[in-house]
Amino acid sequence: SANRISRIAGILNGTTNFILTKMIEDGMAFEDALKVAAKGIPSEELYTKALALIESAANPERFYSSLALSGKDEAVFYLSPKYYNQGSEAALLAIAQMNNRRAINVLLKAAETDQSYLKRVIEITDATITDNDRKSVEYCKALDKTTDPKIKRSIVWSLGNIPTMNAFIKLGSYLDDPDLAYPAANGV
């Protein structure tokens, strides 16, 4: 029969000690303790360390959120195929936590089966894209994906705050919709 390890004591390294302390003394889950530990690490270093953990781990999906915390484009590029080709829900959830404009297309794809990701698309668009023309394009993509009236209304309101021809034309197409006429007219 296998031995059961109930405690590890000793100096492993600073980060490991910090994570173990959070887990033992504060009762944190491993993933939560890892996120707290990662907050003070520069993004390039975090990306490199998380990628090394992923490549050596028996369960690499546990470290996807740490890779995403780096916020780097490379993290989106690494995680996207894990979602697209392997259907990894952990990769998608990690991408969804990123404030990186490269995550938008992945989340638009995910919205084909779960429209709740469109809210995150709008949040990321607002946080990362400053060009109004580009912002209106992303809003329009999200608007075209949704059938949910609440999400649609929210996007129409957001689109109404963008002074571009693209937004104006898109909003004009909703003026005859009784549920969206008021927010659309507000933007036109």
Side-chain angles (χ1 to χ4, degrees), residues 54 63-65 67-68 74-84 88 90-92 94-95 98 106:
I54 287 168
F63 299 100
Y64 288 173
S65 63
L67 189 66
E74 292 87 348
V76 177
F77 299 147
Y78 180 88
L79 293 167
S80 296
K82 304 293 184 198
Y83 167 64
Y84 287 139
S88 171
L92 177 60
I95 291 168
M98 298 179 76
V106 179

Side-chain angles (χ1 to χ4, degrees), residues 94 120 133:
R120 191 67 186 118
D133 286 321

